[in-house]
Amino acid sequence: MTVSKTSEKSSEKPADPAKVRKDAAEVQGQGPGEALQLGELSEQLGYVLKRAQLKVFENFLRCMASLQLTPAQFSVLLLVEKNPGRNQTEIASTLGILRPNFVAMLDNLESRDLCARIRSTNDRRSHILVLTDKGKAVLARAKKLVATKHEARLNELLGPSNREALLGMLSKIANEF
Amino acid sequence: MTVSKTSEKSSEKPADPAKVRKDAAEVQGQGPGEALQLGELSEQLGYVLKRAQLKVFENFLRCMASLQLTPAQFSVLLLVEKNPGRNQTEIASTLGILRPNFVAMLDNLESRDLCARIRSTNDRRSHILVLTDKGKAVLARAKKLVATKHEARLNELLGPSNREALLGMLSKIANEF
DNA sequence: TGATAATTGTTATGGACCATATCAAATATC
DNA sequence: GATATTTGATATGGTCCATAACAATTATCA
């Protein structure tokens, strides 16, 4: 990749490899040799938020290992249980899942006999979604696992009132940001 | 996909399509026709956390549109500025980025003349990372944008003390969960 | 010393997730 | 009844994440 020395749009000096090597030389073998300084990174909301989310999902997956449910799948089952008789578009869109991507997800859940697509009699284009008996049973077990292993862990880490405050602030961000 | 009716491992009744259709019939055209009920979903930490994170990243990208910096790229620049003279493995690992995936990221930043790889004189296997002058300038502008547009938005939404509390709880989750 | 192991940056590759365009069937609109 | 819209589905491409493998270099240690 050849970069013209004078084609930079801005008025800044062009990159000077010699200068960069000189700067780097002053820093060779510097640093305490061990832990890096996070610096302002630990004050960036996005950074901390992302890392917390990864940890929470990781823990969720561990808690659900016996049921083989991902967070997304769990949310689909919860939503279908609460809103039976809705079609794919409605369920997918309220979860922020695009319809094309929802197809494979439902194929998976249906192949495991957790939920079912039924052709609507009102509108024969759409598929009504319902939980199967097995789906209801699995979801019930999943809820118990989440409550006793996952959310309980949160409570012992933050305390119930902090956990409630955290949820409130995150909801506010999710809805009003 | 043919599913044997009797091959289920569990002792539950096999899937009964007629039963499922009957259950679905009771629910055809049900629901208020409009908004779905989120139900327990809005109490699931993982769900709210993920949605908040998406919103925050989305806002971050809008604020940084003029500089074309993603959250991940911003974090790399911040960390290299704070810890000059470290190699790729060190920077990548403290950010939770796997070394193979860090290569393309650095190719990008280097091609834009924001940072540079310098062969270390101590260990000729490793590449020392430093910001270029342009990289330092861009990062300075990025910090200002983040502070005035991004984090300021958070403050006006939550208030400074809540924002601080939120950061503390998220850090706790990220580090101790 | 010299043979072997470990590390660094890199490439290749595959999976998961996300987004867009497009399609046939069914329905809505006019 | 012609046209437009909606629904589920397929194909496809992009991004991010994870693993295996490789050459160059350095560390280990017999």
Side-chain angles (χ1 to χ4, degrees):
Chain A
M1 173 160 307
T2 25
V3 175
S4 157
K5 280 182 190 162
T6 55
S7 65
E8 285 294 325
K9 277 191 292 265
S10 70
S11 61
E12 300 162 19
K13 294 168 234 152
D16 180 355
K19 161 78 160 62
V20 167
R21 273 195 305 274
K22 187 174 75 58
D23 286 3
E26 298 169 5
V27 123
Q28 287 276 57
Q30 194 160 301
E34 270 304 311
L36 299 228
Q37 298 296 329
L38 277 196
E40 316 174 44
L41 214 46
S42 46
E43 294 296 318
Q44 293 293 326
L45 176 77
Y47 178 75
V48 183
L49 195 50
K50 176 76 178 182
R51 297 204 86 104
Q53 184 258 315
L54 288 175
K55 279 294 187 72
V56 167
F57 270 41
E58 197 181 304
N59 180 274
F60 184 97
L61 286 174
R62 269 197 305 271
C63 294
M64 291 302 218
S66 62
L67 296 179
Q68 287 284 97
L69 283 183
T70 68
Q73 291 168 335
F74 180 66
S75 70
V76 170
L77 296 184
L78 268 185
L79 198 60
V80 172
E81 182 194 50
K82 186 78 179 179
N83 304 87
R86 300 305 193 121
N87 66 23
Q88 297 185 197
T89 299
E90 292 171 309
I91 298 291
S93 78
T94 78
L95 288 176
I97 302 173
L98 294 172
R99 277 72 58 172
N101 300 328
F102 195 48
V103 174
M105 259 190 90
L106 273 186
D107 287 348
N108 180 348
L109 294 176
E110 203 175 18
S111 76
R112 294 159 66 182
D113 191 29
L114 298 180
C115 77
R117 303 184 236 223
I118 314 281
R119 283 235 102 93
S120 167
T121 56
N122 306 329
D123 184 342
R124 302 193 41 245
R125 288 170 299 186
S126 60
H127 288 167
I128 292 310
L129 297 183
V130 288
L131 295 191
T132 63
D133 286 344
K134 182 179 171 189
K136 291 172 190 168
V138 166
L139 180 56
R141 279 197 281 163
K143 285 184 190 175
K144 270 184 194 145
L145 285 180
V146 168
T148 61
K149 312 190 85 161
H150 185 65
E151 303 277 358
R153 183 98 173 67
L154 250 287
N155 271 333
E156 84 186 34
L157 187 64
L158 302 178
S161 83
N162 278 334
R163 183 194 158 283
E164 204 57 44
L166 175 63
L167 230 105
M169 289 191 271
L170 291 175
S171 296
K172 197 158 190 174
I173 293 177
N175 295 320
E176 305 173 29
F177 203 67
Chain B
M1 174 160 307
T2 24
V3 174
S4 158
K5 280 184 192 164
T6 55
S7 66
E8 284 294 326
K9 278 191 291 269
S10 71
S11 60
E12 300 160 18
K13 294 166 229 151
D16 180 355
K19 161 77 159 62
V20 166
R21 274 196 304 274
K22 186 172 76 55
D23 287 2
E26 299 169 3
V27 122
Q28 288 277 59
Q30 193 160 300
E34 271 303 311
L36 299 228
Q37 298 296 330
L38 278 196
E40 316 174 44
L41 213 45
S42 46
E43 294 296 318
Q44 293 293 326
L45 176 77
Y47 178 76
V48 183
L49 196 49
K50 176 77 179 182
R51 296 204 87 104
Q53 184 258 316
L54 289 175
K55 281 292 187 74
V56 167
F57 270 42
E58 197 181 304
N59 180 274
F60 185 96
L61 286 174
R62 268 197 306 271
C63 294
M64 291 302 217
S66 62
L67 296 179
Q68 286 285 96
L69 282 182
T70 68
Q73 291 169 335
F74 180 66
S75 71
V76 170
L77 295 184
L78 268 184
L79 198 60
V80 172
E81 182 194 50
K82 186 78 178 180
N83 304 88
R86 301 305 193 121
N87 65 24
Q88 297 185 197
T89 299
E90 291 172 309
I91 298 291
S93 78
T94 78
L95 288 176
I97 302 173
L98 293 173
R99 276 74 62 187
N101 301 327
F102 195 46
V103 173
M105 259 190 90
L106 272 186
D107 287 348
N108 180 350
L109 294 177
E110 204 175 16
S111 76
R112 294 159 66 182
D113 190 30
L114 298 179
C115 78
R117 304 184 234 220
I118 314 282
R119 283 235 101 94
S120 166
T121 56
N122 306 330
D123 184 341
R124 302 193 41 244
R125 287 170 300 186
S126 59
H127 288 167
I128 292 309
L129 296 183
V130 287
L131 296 191
T132 63
D133 286 345
K134 182 178 170 188
K136 292 171 191 168
V138 167
L139 180 56
R141 279 198 281 163
K143 285 183 190 175
K144 271 183 193 144
L145 285 179
V146 168
T148 62
K149 314 189 84 161
H150 185 66
E151 303 276 358
R153 183 97 173 68
L154 250 287
N155 270 332
E156 84 186 32
L157 187 64
L158 302 178
S161 83
N162 278 334
R163 184 194 156 283
E164 204 56 42
L166 175 62
L167 230 105
M169 288 191 274
L170 291 175
S171 295
K172 197 159 190 174
I173 293 176
N175 295 321
E176 303 173 31
F177 204 67

